[in-house]
Amino acid sequence: FFLGSYESKRSHEAVSMPLTSALALLLLLVDCISSKVLDFEKDFGGIPGDGSHETCVHNTNLLSRVLQLNATNSTIVLAAVDTVFHFYNGVFARNISNSVLIVDGTLRFERRGDFVPHPDPRACMRIDISKNITLTSTGRGLFDGRGSNYWGIPAVGYFELLEHRPRLLTINQTSELLIENLIFQDSPYHTIFMESVQNVVVRHCSIVARRTPADGHSWIDLSAFNTDGIDVSGHNIHVHDVDIWT
């Protein structure tokens, strides 16, 4: 959850240090109590373990509403340990703040049966114009882009969709961002795409895009074209302890 920082400003009258400390502690406790911890499945009706079209539509629309209406000043468990939620691309929120989003299970993004190539398809998940966002896991949560459903036959499959494929995670015009302890797997296109962001840390993550389980870059694996690891523009960005295999 989000803990605000508090400053005590000296007035013309002396303020004792114990009183100042007690006031700061009280403000922190109030902030902790008011912060909400919510669960996508238990509190909102997210449906795990079902990759049907109906459930993908339900979960995609629901998660967009949950993020837009409930994420500000909240901690939301998007996927608990050992749970898998299926979505389509198009989860979207904007103007959220002071949010902790926890993925301890799997967010799996399926390809729509009626997916139509578009020069700028909606990302699997996108967050715009937001502030103080933490995307994290208490273990190693998974974003699964199901890229093989878009890549098609090695080399030849590229010509079906070209680069008209969704990114796995897009974050735009956002500041005070932390992404950590997550695996981003098999993005259809660019994996993490951040544009016009400020004060960002990405750490302790893995990014992987494989066609085969082989430990190497064969021509087959290389035909998962343009699955960039991290594309970023902005200021004060620190990426460390991240392994990328694409």
Side-chain angles (χ1 to χ4, degrees):
F1 50 84
F2 169 73
L3 295 179
S5 61
Y6 300 95
E7 282 186 356
S8 61
K9 296 183 179 179
R10 291 183 177 274
S11 65
H12 295 293
E13 298 179 358
V15 179
S16 67
M17 183 59 69
L19 179 59
T20 303
S21 299
L23 178 59
L25 179 59
L26 177 61
L27 290 171
L28 287 172
L29 288 173
V30 168
D31 191 45
C32 291
I33 292 170
S34 62
S35 179
K36 298 170 289 186
V37 180
L38 304 167
D39 186 282
F40 178 60
E41 178 184 2
K42 296 176 181 177
D43 292 308
F44 301 105
I47 302 173
D50 181 1
S52 68
H53 169 73
E54 292 76 14
T55 295
C56 287
V57 170
H58 169 83
N59 284 343
T60 302
N61 294 336
L62 178 63
L63 184 53
S64 293
R65 290 197 302 271
V66 167
L67 293 176
Q68 192 63 63
L69 300 177
N70 301 95
T72 294
N73 297 325
S74 296
T75 295
I76 303 180
V77 178
L78 303 186
V81 176
D82 297 327
T83 59
V84 179
F85 290 92
H86 296 259
F87 305 87
Y88 288 138
N89 64 305
V91 174
F92 175 76
R94 67 186 301 167
N95 292 321
I96 62 175
S97 61
N98 307 333
S99 306
V100 178
L101 308 177
I102 300 174
V103 180
D104 286 337
T106 298
L107 306 184
R108 180 161 291 151
F109 295 89
E110 307 291 351
R111 177 177 173 176
R112 295 174 183 267
D114 59 353
F115 179 82
V116 176
H118 187 277
D120 188 21
R122 292 177 295 176
C124 295
M125 178 180 286
R126 178 172 180 137
I127 298 173
D128 280 2
I129 317 174
S130 296
K131 185 174 182 179
N132 198 16
I133 307 298
T134 296
L135 188 57
T136 187
S137 175
T138 62
R140 290 286 271 180
L142 175 63
F143 278 68
D144 183 3
R146 302 280 277 168
S148 60
N149 291 332
Y150 295 85
W151 302 334
I153 300 170
V156 178
Y158 173 80
F159 296 97
E160 177 195 359
L161 300 178
L162 299 177
E163 297 186 17
H164 303 159
R165 296 165 274 147
R167 297 178 172 112
L168 186 51
L169 177 64
T170 293
I171 298 178
N172 182 49
Q173 299 182 58
T174 292
S175 62
E176 322 304 328
L177 171 68
L178 172 62
I179 300 173
E180 63 176 1
N181 303 333
L182 295 165
I183 301 169
F184 297 89
Q185 175 178 291
D186 294 344
S187 175
Y189 189 40
H190 303 150
T191 303
I192 300 176
F193 188 89
M194 297 183 286
E195 189 171 22
S196 300
V197 294
Q198 296 185 48
N199 303 327
V200 175
V201 175
V202 182
R203 65 188 183 191
H204 308 303
C205 290
S206 295
I207 296 172
V208 60
R210 295 177 182 267
R211 282 185 176 273
T212 73
D215 186 16
H217 280 78
S218 70
W219 72 270
I220 296 176
D221 285 305
L222 291 174
S223 67
F225 295 114
N226 303 110
T227 51
D228 301 12
I230 301 174
D231 295 275
V232 61
S233 68
H235 302 282
N236 298 329
I237 298 154
H238 187 194
V239 178
H240 66 92
D241 296 288
V242 174
D243 56 274
I244 299 175
W245 199 108
T246 65

